[in-house]
Amino acid sequence: MDPIDRIYASQAYPRFAGALISHIPFQPAVLNASGTPDHSQRILKILVYSLQNVVREVEFFDDTAKKWGLNLAQWKERKGTRDYTAEMARISGTGKVEEGLLFLWAMEKVYLDVWSTVDEALTLANCPPSALRSLAKNWSTAEFKAFVDDLASLVDDIYRNLDSNAWIVAEDVWRRVLELEEDFWPGSKEEKEMIF
């Protein structure tokens, strides 16, 4: 475990979610041309939940580091982290809530899928308790999956009512999150260079 997740969780994520909250349209017609119920309250609830959860997550990082004797202060912030947090700020600053929610879903979906795979592999290998197992368990819970599924449902409901240009942008947002995720995680060689 290193501080890249902690920087993301304690600084960038709250700013991102807060900016999205500030852009929630409370007029049903803005995101909801079909006359279906207003999504603004669903958006607010899911973003408030994500903020509550990220507070818990920062505590989890601190507790995990303490339990496993990890010195998070020894790591340098990486370019991949700066790029990711900059993109979060850019997306959340556009005022396009649908793009921000899609970006949020993509981030959370990648975390769920990757960490669930890691958790399965560690369980099958009967690996002993470790910081890695704690992280994998944290992001593969039924509660986290339910959050990602709720977020996917909200994004689907919003995008169902948008035009084809929004779908083109959505594909770009998804690809960008995948690029950012790939650069976010250090390789084993790079980890050695990150330490002061």
Side-chain angles (χ1 to χ4, degrees):
M1 185 171 100
D2 56 62
I4 54 179
D5 269 333
R6 195 176 189 294
I7 291 167
Y8 158 86
S10 66
Q11 298 171 26
Y13 196 107
R15 284 188 206 118
F16 175 78
L20 291 180
I21 288 171
S22 74
H23 294 300
I24 295 173
F26 285 98
Q27 305 86 12
V30 175
L31 290 177
N32 217 353
S34 70
T36 57
D38 179 15
H39 294 299
S40 60
Q41 290 301 311
R42 282 180 69 196
I43 295 169
L44 181 60
K45 285 178 185 176
I46 210 156
L47 290 172
V48 167
Y49 176 84
S50 71
L51 283 170
Q52 292 168 334
N53 196 53
V54 84
V55 169
R56 186 203 61 78
E57 195 165 293
V58 170
E59 292 171 359
F60 166 74
F61 286 132
D62 292 341
D63 293 345
T64 302
K66 184 177 179 181
K67 178 178 180 176
W68 296 101
L70 303 173
N71 181 4
L72 300 182
Q74 72 180 354
W75 296 86
K76 296 179 185 178
E77 183 180 11
R78 301 175 59 254
K79 181 182 182 310
T81 306
R82 288 189 302 274
D83 290 347
Y84 211 129
T85 59
E87 187 68 6
M88 291 171 76
R90 188 192 73 75
I91 288 283
S92 64
T94 66
K96 297 179 180 175
V97 176
E98 69 276 9
E99 288 177 24
L101 290 169
L102 178 67
F103 192 93
L104 177 62
W105 169 79
M107 290 189 307
E108 302 293 19
K109 177 66 172 157
V110 169
Y111 257 59
L112 175 64
D113 289 352
V114 170
W115 284 109
S116 294
T117 301
V118 170
D119 186 50
E120 282 180 34
L122 294 173
T123 301
L124 286 173
N126 202 25
C127 291
S130 66
L132 183 60
R133 283 208 73 175
S134 296
L135 294 170
K137 289 257 179 255
N138 184 64
W139 290 301
S140 59
T141 63
E143 181 183 358
F144 184 52
K145 183 182 183 319
F147 166 68
V148 174
D149 289 346
D150 288 347
L151 189 52
S153 174
L154 174 60
V155 169
D156 286 348
D157 287 348
I158 291 169
Y159 272 84
R160 193 171 289 121
N161 297 312
L162 299 178
D163 63 24
S164 60
N165 290 331
W167 284 91
I168 292 167
V169 172
E171 289 175 2
D172 291 340
V173 169
W174 172 252
R175 280 192 296 272
R176 182 64 178 138
V177 168
L178 294 180
E179 289 171 3
L180 291 165
E181 283 290 338
E182 187 175 325
D183 293 340
F184 187 68
W185 300 101
S188 58
K189 181 180 177 184
E190 185 183 7
E191 283 181 355
K192 293 175 184 166
E193 297 170 3
M194 288 171 55
I195 299 174
F196 289 113

